Amino acid sequence: QVQLVESGGGLVQAGGSLRLSCTASGRTFSSYGMGWFRQAPGKEREFVAAISRSGTTTDYADSVKGRFTISRDNAKNTVYLQMNSLKPEDTAGYYCAAAVTPWPWIIRVNRNEYDYWGHGTQVTVSS
């Protein structure tokens, strides 16, 4: 089992930046593809970004491409989400998730394919 703890959320002005971190417990972090999702009040939880076990494959939602970057440090059991040029519509709870994947280069973009979830961190972008 994996426990995930997110940090780094907060209040930022439009155009600003934040870096979210998600640290996993256990010794098998490198066995999991990782993803970030977000959920705004009254909306479905949506895919933001994903990274493969090896870190060689990434994918992003169209709404964040060119502004957000996902990365991971397997030695630190941590995945990051660097968020630049933030917009008010990025305001949401951000959730880290881990997925068992069969191959090191595989990523998952569907929330139903993830096995473990963190409790989330709030990001609020003011206009």
Side-chain angles (χ1 to χ4, degrees), residues 10-59:
L11 174 63
V12 63
Q13 287 189 329
S17 298
L18 283 174
R19 188 176 82 154
L20 305 183
S21 299
C22 171
T23 301
S25 64
R27 296 175 291 176
T28 59
F29 178 72
S30 59
S31 300
Y32 297 93
M34 301 298 295
W36 286 97
F37 290 75
R38 67 187 182 186
Q39 187 169 17
K43 294 189 176 182
E44 297 266 327
R45 189 168 296 189
E46 64 176 6
F47 169 74
V48 175
I51 188 166
S52 61
R53 286 160 51 187
S54 62
T56 56
T57 308
T58 59
D59 197 13

Side-chain angles (χ1 to χ4, degrees), residues 20-24 29 71-80:
L20 305 183
S21 299
C22 171
T23 301
F29 178 72
S71 61
R72 67 187 296 162
D73 185 338
N74 286 344
K76 295 183 177 180
N77 283 11
T78 301
V79 61
Y80 304 96

Side-chain angles (χ1 to χ4, degrees), residues 67-86:
R67 300 188 298 122
F68 291 11
T69 302
I70 189 171
S71 61
R72 67 187 296 162
D73 185 338
N74 286 344
K76 295 183 177 180
N77 283 11
T78 301
V79 61
Y80 304 96
L81 185 67
Q82 177 67 44
M83 306 186 296
N84 299 329
S85 302
L86 282 161

Side-chain angles (χ1 to χ4, degrees), residues 2 4 28-35 37 50-53 72 96-103 106-117:
V2 176
L4 304 173
T28 59
F29 178 72
S30 59
S31 300
Y32 297 93
M34 301 298 295
F37 290 75
I51 188 166
S52 61
R53 286 160 51 187
R72 67 187 296 162
C96 168
V100 175
T101 56
W103 304 108
I106 296 293
I107 58 172
R108 302 297 191 198
V109 299
N110 187 326
R111 64 184 183 184
N112 295 326
E113 296 177 296
Y114 281 82
D115 302 289
Y116 303 100
W117 291 84

